[in-house]
């Protein structure tokens, strides 16, 4: 999973506690997307615990997933159809080509 920037300080609204691995595990079980907790555990088990950067990036990526799930703009973006996204990309490419 690719780590995403942590924008929790910029967000308002819902934000469950996710400051420790124990809190993150609980949050993923309660508030995460289906399967997130199990996938997180599998990815964490595959990491070397001496690689603190990798552990941090993994935790940050899953924190981002929880925050994304409760962000109205984020969930709207996830709900978009492939056709809708393709149409937008074609339109943007056509606009950029016309400049």
């Amino acid at each position: 999973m690719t780590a995403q920037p942590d924008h929790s300080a910029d967000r308002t609204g819902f934000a469950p506690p996710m400051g420790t691995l124990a809190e993150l595990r609980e949050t993923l079980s309660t508030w995460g997307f289906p399967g997130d907790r199990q996938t997180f555990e599998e990815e964490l088990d595959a990491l070397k615990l001496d690689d603190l950067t990798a552990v941090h990036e993994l935790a940050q990526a899953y924190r981002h997933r929880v925050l994304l799930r409760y962000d109205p703009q984020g969930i709207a973006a996830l709900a978009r159809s492939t056709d809708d996204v393709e149409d937008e990309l074609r339109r943007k490419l056509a606009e950029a080509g016309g400049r």
Side-chain angles (χ1 to χ4, degrees):
M1 172 164 284
T2 303
Q4 301 295 318
D6 186 4
H7 300 294
S8 59
D10 301 332
R11 292 182 188 271
T12 57
F14 181 77
M18 297 183 281
T20 66
L21 286 176
E23 289 175 343
L24 179 56
R25 285 180 168 112
E26 183 65 30
T27 295
L28 288 170
S29 296
T30 307
W31 303 105
F33 288 99
D36 272 358
R37 169 73 188 265
Q38 180 179 348
T39 306
F40 171 74
E41 296 294 348
E42 291 167 0
E43 291 184 37
L44 184 60
D45 286 345
L47 294 177
K48 294 184 187 289
L49 290 181
D50 290 341
D51 188 352
L52 296 179
T53 300
V55 172
H56 173 77
E57 287 174 352
L58 180 68
Q60 193 169 331
Y62 277 90
R63 289 179 69 222
H64 178 78
R65 287 180 61 80
V66 171
L67 295 173
L68 178 66
R69 185 167 187 192
Y70 291 94
D71 180 317
Q73 291 175 328
I75 205 66
L78 289 175
R80 290 179 64 188
S81 71
T82 301
D83 291 338
D84 184 37
V85 173
E86 286 176 351
D87 290 342
E88 180 181 346
L89 288 172
R90 280 190 197 99
R91 188 176 64 252
K92 287 182 177 184
L93 286 171
E95 289 171 2
R99 291 184 210 174

